Amino acid sequence: MKHISGHTKISGVIGENISYTKSPLIHNYWYSQHQIDGAYLCFNTSSERFKETVYGLFYAGIIGLNVTVPFKELAFDFAHIRSDAAEQAQSVNCLTFKDNQIYGHNTDGIGFYNALKYLDPKIDLNNKEILIIGAGGAASAIIAYLSQFNVKIYILNRTLSKAEDLVNKFSSQVVIQAVTSPLSVDLIVQTTNLKTIETGSIIDIPDDIMQKSYYIIDINYGDGAGEFLKRASKLGIKNCDGSEMLLQQAVPAFEFFNNQPVEITDNLRNLLKNS
Ligand code: ATR
């Protein structure tokens, strides 16, 4: 049992109905590995209570908060000072507090990119074509990050108008197009929360198209990503699920909260996989 003292630094994640979250496992692993007297907890609240809960936690001395569904946009509006990464993503997943000011930051984009680098340390996104499946908040944050590269992005979504909304949002920054059927690209990013990609549905990706891509990322983890990535592995395509992104976005978040550099060890990857 972890020793909690009057000096224990508290950090955590705030969201709605997020008791499933694996973030405490990751951050508490680092606290223990680096022998820091700290604890990372999970806080559930509602949209109506978000602001007062965040202020309450900060006034009680919490050192930092990760923000997850569905509050990342609310946190963006609410932060007094936002980092460039937060501005780029138009969303905030990390909050800190100093001199009555709320600081908002975002580590999702770099987490996504470092997950790609985990798949291939030599990856070069320039001149690559990328198919994004889905057009929700996660797709938007990933496209925002990808916009700094010389890439061509296609968005395939059940509701075409939502894909077109993202095209309008990003077309001044990156070459981007909405599509109504899958096409061959270098990288496929699956951002919907579908458990399986249904055969015959708009977002079903036939094997011959999948086979042409070098990498596939499904941002779901656990069972959610299972079937799609099993097919990718069978076809010999480098792939990873959202647990790698979860780990990679947690590294800069932990550093942001604790001023302590950390690493993702194989032991931590295995702990997460078996949890
Ligand atoms: P997130 O923030 O995780 O991206 P979201 O904003 O709710 O979540 O977006 C979920 C995405 O998954 C949407 O693009 C949604 O498609 P629609 O725009 O058509 O709603 C997609 N999605 C969810 N369930 C789906 C399903 N059964 N079939 C196809 N797409 C689905």
Side-chain angles (χ1 to χ4, degrees):
M1 172 80 183
K2 186 182 172 65
H3 175 73
I4 303 278
S5 74
H7 300 285
T8 305
K9 293 198 281 183
I10 306 291
S11 56
V13 54
I14 186 164
E16 189 169 48
N17 303 322
I18 54 153
S19 313
Y20 61 83
T21 178
K22 307 267 182 162
S23 289
L25 183 153
I26 299 170
H27 286 254
N28 287 316
Y29 173 88
W30 286 323
Y31 276 138
S32 142
Q33 192 191 31
H34 293 277
Q35 296 175 330
I36 298 170
D37 184 7
Y40 184 99
L41 308 173
C42 169
F43 303 100
N44 284 290
T45 189
S46 60
S47 302
E48 296 73 37
R49 288 276 161 84
F50 177 72
K51 203 170 172 173
E52 56 188 313
T53 308
V54 169
Y55 268 111
L57 288 167
F58 280 128
Y59 283 136
I62 199 165
I63 59 164
L65 274 175
N66 275 126
V67 181
T68 189
V69 281
F71 302 137
K72 291 185 187 183
E73 281 74 28
L74 258 182
F76 177 82
D77 293 338
F78 169 49
H80 300 117
I81 298 163
R82 298 187 288 239
S83 70
D84 289 348
E87 290 290 349
Q88 184 187 37
Q90 298 280 298
S91 91
V92 156
N93 80 326
C94 289
L95 291 170
T96 53
F97 188 67
K98 198 176 164 197
D99 302 331
N100 275 330
Q101 299 280 78
I102 303 263
Y103 290 73
H105 186 44
N106 191 300
T107 63
D108 286 332
I110 190 71
F112 168 76
Y113 184 60
N114 284 339
L116 271 176
K117 285 198 136 178
Y118 170 71
L119 283 184
D120 180 354
K122 293 198 184 117
I123 196 162
D124 178 6
L125 287 178
N126 288 307
N127 303 314
K128 298 288 186 296
E129 296 198 318
I130 301 167
L131 176 65
I132 308 278
I133 306 170
S140 177
I142 288 170
I143 294 167
Y145 193 81
L146 288 171
S147 295
Q148 67 188 284
F149 299 99
N150 180 20
V151 290
K152 178 158 192 187
I153 296 174
Y154 300 96
I155 311 173
L156 177 65
N157 191 47
R158 175 178 59 179
T159 311
L160 179 62
S161 63
K162 282 211 203 155
E164 287 168 343
D165 289 346
L166 286 184
V167 169
N168 291 334
K169 186 170 170 191
F170 291 106
S171 58
S172 62
Q173 299 167 43
V174 68
V175 181
I176 185 165
Q177 187 183 329
V179 291
T180 51
S181 56
L183 74 172
S184 300
V185 290
D186 303 291
L187 162 66
I188 298 175
V189 186
Q190 200 305 95
T191 74
T192 76
N193 47 11
L194 281 184
K195 289 249 180 283
T196 57
I197 299 222
E198 298 145 42
T199 310
S201 85
I202 174 94
I203 56 168
D204 173 36
I205 312 290
D207 283 359
D208 59 327
I209 287 184
M210 262 173 105
Q211 222 151 10
K212 299 231 171 69
S213 64
Y214 300 107
Y215 318 97
I216 296 187
I217 289 195
D218 189 326
I219 69 160
N220 295 290
Y221 52 90
D223 293 345
E227 289 307 315
F228 188 53
L229 294 187
K230 257 186 227 157
R231 269 178 62 209
S233 295
K234 248 189 223 160
L235 294 167
I237 306 159
K238 284 187 179 172
N239 64 81
C240 71
D241 72 3
S243 57
E244 190 58 34
M245 274 176 64
L246 187 72
L247 285 164
Q248 298 286 358
Q249 63 76 33
V251 170
F254 190 92
E255 294 176 2
F256 189 53
F257 298 157
N258 297 283
N259 276 320
Q260 166 71 48
V262 284
E263 279 181 8
I264 302 167
T265 59
D266 286 342
N267 187 22
L268 176 56
R269 276 198 183 90
N270 284 334
L271 270 176
L272 188 61
K273 205 162 146 192
N274 299 322
S275 65

